[in-house]
Amino acid sequence: AEFFLGETCRDSSNREHIISQVADSIIFTGCGTESDNLAITLALGSSPGVKGKKKHIVTSNVEHPAVEECLKNLEAKGEIEVTRLPVDEKCLVCASDVSSAIRSDGSTCLVTIILANNEIGSVFPCKEIAQICRESNVLFHTDAAQAVGKIATDFDALGHPDMITIVGHKFGAPKGVAALYVRDGCLVNESAGRTEPFLYNSSGGLLFGGGQESGRRAGTENVPYIVGMGKAVSLLSGGKWQSIASHTELLRDKLLSNLIERLGADNVHVNGPNDAKKQLPNTLSVGLRSVRSGDLLQQVQQYVAASAGSACHSAGGGVSPVLLAMKVPKDFASGTIRLSVGRDTTLDDVNEAAAIISREVKKQW
């Protein structure tokens, strides 16, 4: 039986808090990994393919494991071919490389490129890539998990991607809720030969079961967390996210300057773009010369929240694939740590963090 609480997650106001005026295009999921996997599944399901050829997907070589591991699994099964575009030393993909990678035979069914890298914080040229994909009649998905609430993520800023992954806990909602935006009509494109996936709008594109989310994603919705995600987005509206971004950028830069002052410029290597417009305002990935990041994290973990790569993978067991892809010098790559600041971080916090980290770094020299 239907009851009022169950309608809460289907209430358009909750969806419109996530992305305004496109309530029917939001599918609530349990995490970003599910959203990314669902986007790939929908793209493959809606593409007719080319006779005698495997379906082809274009991505980067620094994607979140939620995308990379899904693609590797499909490759291992022999179901798809994947082109992984290399990043430069600043962890950026060139939009023109995306254009060159899309195959002229029509076998390319999806381009999936992260909006902001989860380890480095570099912001990819999403708007340009979206335009290239639109002109090529290829679906474009971007994982915006790291970016929402930190940089402009409205449709005009992103170039109107076909699918966007959004993760609640990255901008103030509880862990355990996410969403996938699917642009209305993008999965049906006669000129590209795409038809609605046969699972979509019946029993879900990825999970089999009931008819939740209007048949687009089976499984009981997490109503309280969905409401929480809508509320978290509303708290960032009206220019509030810009104020937070300015605050975090100031503290991030202060943290970096403190580390350089205490350790010396020759011993501190910033991983990522120098251009503030191409970098998340809250994220600092920094390589410390001749330091073992795993040992450093063990020594500071009671006082400073840090990781050797992304926050999802904080153990520090070797150099991350992202740093290898960027060709970060080994002397700095092995000593790379990732630090983030937030809306509640204070100047005293970053000063203390820099002092603690510097003290432990010097013990390794």
Side-chain angles (χ1 to χ4, degrees), residues 319-332:
V319 177
S320 83
V322 173
L323 298 177
L324 293 174
M326 295 169 62
K327 298 181 173 58
V328 175
K330 186 176 180 181
D331 204 23
F332 287 109

Side-chain angles (χ1 to χ4, degrees), residues 57-71:
I57 294 177
V58 178
T59 189
S60 79
N61 63 347
V62 293
E63 292 298 306
H64 190 280
V67 167
E68 173 59 18
E69 292 302 317
C70 180
L71 296 180

Side-chain angles (χ1 to χ4, degrees), residues 70-129:
C70 180
L71 296 180
K72 283 171 62 177
N73 179 266
L74 293 169
E75 276 185 303
K77 293 178 180 178
E79 297 180 11
I80 63 170
E81 293 181 349
V82 179
T83 296
R84 293 173 175 83
L85 302 177
V87 294
D88 61 19
E89 71 280 359
K90 299 299 182 182
C91 195
L92 293 170
V93 159
C94 182
S96 61
D97 289 346
V98 175
S99 180
S100 299
I102 294 175
R103 295 179 178 175
S104 58
D105 62 9
S107 62
T108 305
C109 64
L110 175 68
V111 172
T112 175
I113 300 283
I114 201 166
L115 175 54
N117 181 265
N118 51 301
E119 289 190 30
I120 306 302
S122 52
V123 178
F124 285 25
C126 182
K127 188 172 184 176
E128 292 86 344
I129 295 172

